[in-house]
């Protein structure tokens, strides 16, 4: 059977257009004329193997997607996500596509290194049948805590908990700071969550729980983008449910009644809320809403507390579990930059372990980490120092 260059060209054009890249830009990278590149997309000219590899790198796709007709990719999910969120910038589209590649690599590495087998996530949309969306979120949070056997204890690391359920979760600093996070159901890698790396670490925890709810309730939709503020009412019910789930999942009502008590004056409420923020690793607004949910505070006090600047938790008072405390300040800063680019400490450890075991080459390691040689050398040096310090 002859190779279908028209199908290849169609895939190349769709990938380029989805990332808002102009044909002239691609032609410059390949060092060919714009007309020659257009002929590649039209199937009128045969692309070389080297060109396909370079284009796969540029478009952040596995090269096998371009040369086979049945390679399992998240192409349809990503195209739909971009269609529904057409205002996404060129850089944010590329960041999301890189995130998908990290999820695919992580899935491969977990099978290679840990042989990780996770229980299939429940689909609570098939378990909870009424149409009260906020109540669905509450009930889903209760059921999921029960399934995970974590009782009413605070969740110290929501990202680790989600990963333990077989979900691929990454952070990435996006240009659009109104984006909270997104969810993709990959046909092979499974559930994938991206959280916008904003300055508020506690807000990231809430966003992670919010997107986890989409994995538990909305996986049949295969993609979902969440904004902090939006005028789109097409899926407001799902967002109500996800917000309700996140609040009840992170700060369960039974835990509030068990560990805390009603306060006598405004100053005591301030102290209590700060303590609860520290205990549950959530923002003061989440705590205030939960206290209002259980009718410990009324609407007037809720509004006053909501706008009290003294309840803004300082960045220095928040702990990011994604960054090890055993690293030096310089190493932490370099790791932070990598997280801003979409990597995670968990993923870095997986990839470097595969390299140390000779399961992947150094070139493949750098490809997975999406790093140039110099930054790759620095990262490996940081990891060696960290491993020696923790022996």
């Amino acid at each position: 059977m002859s190779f279908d260059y028209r199908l290849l060209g169609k895939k190349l054009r769709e990938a380029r257009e989805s990332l808002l890249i102009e044909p002239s830009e691609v032609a410059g990278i390949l060092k060919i004329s714009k007309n020659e590149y257009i002929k590649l997309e039209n199937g009128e000219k045969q692309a070389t193997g080297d060109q396909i590899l370079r284009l796969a790198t540029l478009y952040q796709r596995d090269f096998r997607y371009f040369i086979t007709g049945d390679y399992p990719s998240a192409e349809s999910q990503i195209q739909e996500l971009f269609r529904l969120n057409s205002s996404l910038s060129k850089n944010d589209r590329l960041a999301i596509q890189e995130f998908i590649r990290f999820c695919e690599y992580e899935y491969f590495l977990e099978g290679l290194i840990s042989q990780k087998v996770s229980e299939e996530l429940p689909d609570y949309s098939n378990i909870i049948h009424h149409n009260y969306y906020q109540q669905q979120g509450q009930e889903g949070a209760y059921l999921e805590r029960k399934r995970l056997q974590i009782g009413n204890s605070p969740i110290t690391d929501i990202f680790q908990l989600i990963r333990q359920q077989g979900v691929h979760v990454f952070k990435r600093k996006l240009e659009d700071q109104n984006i909270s996070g997104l969810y993709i159901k990959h046909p092979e890698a499974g559930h994938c969550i991206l959280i916008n790396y904003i300055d508020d670490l506690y807000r990231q925890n809430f966003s992670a729980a919010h997107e986890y709810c989409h994995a538990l309730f909305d996986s049949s939709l295969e993609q979902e983008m969440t904004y902090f503020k939006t005028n789109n009412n097409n899926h407001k019910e799902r967002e109500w449910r996800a917000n309700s789930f996140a609040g009840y999942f992170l700060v369960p009502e039974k835990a509030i009644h068990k560990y805390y008590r009603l306060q006598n004056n405004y100053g005591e409420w301030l102290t209590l809320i700060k303590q609860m923020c520290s205990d549950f690793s959530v923002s003061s607004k989440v705590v205030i809403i939960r206290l209002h949910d259980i009718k410990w505070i009324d609407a007037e006090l809720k509004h006053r507390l909501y706008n009290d600047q003294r309840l803004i938790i300082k960045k220095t008072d928040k702990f990011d579990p994604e960054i090890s405390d055993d690293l030096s300040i310089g190493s932490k800063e370099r790791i932070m930059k990598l997280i801003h680019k979409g990597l995670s400490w968990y993923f870095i450890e997986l990839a470097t372990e595969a390299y140390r075991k000779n399961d992947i080459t150094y070139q493949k390691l750098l490809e997975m980490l999406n790093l140039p040689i110099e930054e790759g050398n620095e990262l490996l040096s940081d990891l060696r120092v960290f491993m020696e310090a923790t022996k």
Side-chain angles (χ1 to χ4, degrees):
M1 182 182 294
S2 60
F3 185 78
D4 191 341
Y5 284 97
R6 287 193 179 278
L7 178 59
L8 168 63
K10 179 177 181 291
K11 289 181 175 181
L12 291 174
R13 182 175 63 255
E14 289 175 347
R16 175 183 60 76
E17 290 177 346
S18 74
L19 298 176
L20 306 181
I21 300 175
E22 294 297 326
S24 56
E25 183 180 345
V26 184
I29 292 171
L30 294 180
K31 293 182 171 51
I32 59 177
S33 70
K34 176 182 174 181
N35 286 339
E36 284 182 291
Y37 178 71
I38 294 297
K39 287 182 179 180
L40 291 181
E41 288 191 349
N42 290 337
E44 299 169 0
K45 181 180 175 62
Q46 294 184 5
T48 66
D50 180 63
Q51 286 174 333
I52 293 174
L53 289 174
R54 294 177 70 182
L55 291 170
T57 300
L58 174 64
Y59 299 148
Q60 287 297 309
R61 268 80 166 176
D62 192 302
F63 78 94
R64 290 172 292 183
Y65 162 69
F66 291 111
I67 63 175
T68 60
D70 57 354
Y71 183 75
S73 74
E75 198 65 23
S76 63
Q77 291 83 358
I78 290 296
Q79 293 289 355
E80 182 67 3
L81 185 79
F82 289 169
R83 185 187 69 80
L84 294 173
N85 301 273
S86 57
S87 63
L88 282 168
S89 70
K90 180 178 179 179
N91 287 337
D92 281 350
R93 287 166 182 255
L94 181 60
I96 292 169
Q97 192 63 55
E98 289 176 350
F99 151 69
I100 291 298
R101 285 299 285 141
F102 287 145
C103 291
E104 292 170 343
Y105 283 139
E106 186 170 275
Y107 174 75
F108 166 76
L109 290 168
E110 286 176 340
L112 188 68
I113 297 297
S114 62
Q115 303 297 319
K116 184 176 180 180
V117 178
S118 301
E119 182 180 342
E120 184 69 23
L121 284 186
D123 183 350
Y124 287 129
S125 67
N126 292 328
I127 299 172
I128 302 172
H129 300 292
H130 60 76
N131 294 321
Y132 300 99
Y133 282 84
Q134 289 178 310
Q135 188 176 336
Q136 287 177 5
Q138 298 172 25
E139 293 175 11
Y142 169 78
L143 290 173
E144 186 62 5
R145 274 186 164 265
K146 183 178 180 181
R147 184 183 77 87
L148 298 176
Q149 299 180 341
I150 56 176
N152 298 305
S153 302
I155 299 171
T156 56
D157 186 348
I158 182 66
F159 288 88
Q160 182 185 48
L161 180 68
I162 292 174
R163 287 192 185 105
Q164 288 172 344
Q165 312 318 309
V167 179
H168 307 286
V169 55
F170 291 84
K171 299 180 183 182
R172 176 72 182 248
K173 199 173 186 69
L174 300 174
E175 285 184 343
D176 188 346
Q177 290 294 282
N178 190 34
I179 296 174
S180 167
L182 62 92
Y183 165 76
I184 293 286
K185 177 67 178 298
H186 193 289
E188 184 173 53
H191 304 285
C192 304
I193 290 173
L194 177 64
I195 302 302
N196 194 356
Y197 199 106
I198 58 175
D199 289 336
D200 190 343
L201 294 173
Y202 285 176
R203 188 64 180 84
Q204 293 175 31
N205 292 339
F206 186 87
S207 295
H210 179 108
E211 298 304 327
Y212 185 50
C213 178
H214 287 313
L216 293 168
F217 277 91
D218 306 312
S219 62
S220 62
L221 299 175
E222 298 189 337
Q223 57 77 32
E224 189 83 39
M225 178 83 79
T226 303
Y227 294 90
F228 290 115
K229 297 178 181 178
T230 180
N231 295 321
N232 186 351
N233 293 322
N234 292 335
H235 58 163
K236 62 181 180 181
E237 292 88 357
R238 296 198 299 272
E239 297 308 300
W240 290 344
R241 177 172 60 203
N243 281 334
S244 176
F245 172 91
Y248 279 78
F249 189 65
L250 293 172
V251 190
E253 181 174 346
K254 288 185 178 180
I256 301 175
H257 288 293
K258 181 177 181 179
Y259 298 115
Y260 310 99
R261 61 177 176 80
L262 286 164
Q263 304 301 297
N264 298 314
N265 57 61
Y266 189 77
E268 290 183 354
W269 281 116
L270 291 177
T271 301
L272 173 68
I273 291 168
K274 288 179 182 179
Q275 183 60 52
M276 290 181 67
C277 289
S278 176
D279 293 343
F280 293 100
S281 299
V282 295
S283 70
S284 58
K285 290 185 177 180
V286 172
V287 172
I288 293 166
I289 290 172
R290 294 297 292 116
L291 292 175
H292 182 258
D293 286 339
I294 64 172
K295 297 180 171 52
W296 274 24
I297 60 175
D298 58 23
E300 182 180 353
L301 181 53
K302 173 189 173 184
H303 179 75
R304 183 182 176 188
L305 290 166
Y306 219 68
N307 293 284
D308 196 316
Q309 297 296 305
R310 288 171 293 181
L311 287 177
I312 297 176
I313 311 301
K314 295 179 181 178
K315 186 176 181 179
T316 53
D317 293 336
K318 300 173 185 176
F319 167 67
D320 187 351
E322 292 285 279
I323 301 177
S324 174
D325 264 350
D326 295 304
L327 292 172
S328 67
I329 294 176
S331 295
K332 283 183 179 180
E333 289 177 351
R334 285 192 287 274
I335 294 294
M336 181 72 74
K337 289 180 181 178
L338 294 177
I339 291 176
H340 284 176
K341 292 180 179 179
L343 293 166
S344 70
W345 181 255
Y346 172 72
F347 178 78
I348 291 169
E349 285 187 314
L350 271 180
T352 51
E353 184 178 354
Y355 169 64
R356 287 194 300 270
K357 290 183 174 180
N358 295 318
D359 289 326
I360 60 173
T361 64
Y362 186 63
Q363 182 179 357
K364 189 65 177 180
L365 172 65
L366 295 181
E367 176 190 320
M368 287 183 166
L369 298 176
N370 202 20
L371 292 175
I373 293 177
E374 297 77 11
E375 290 186 39
N377 289 336
E378 277 190 348
L379 174 60
L380 287 178
S381 176
D382 288 340
L383 285 170
R384 281 194 291 269
V385 172
F386 169 69
M387 291 176 66
E388 288 297 323
T390 54
K391 279 184 179 178

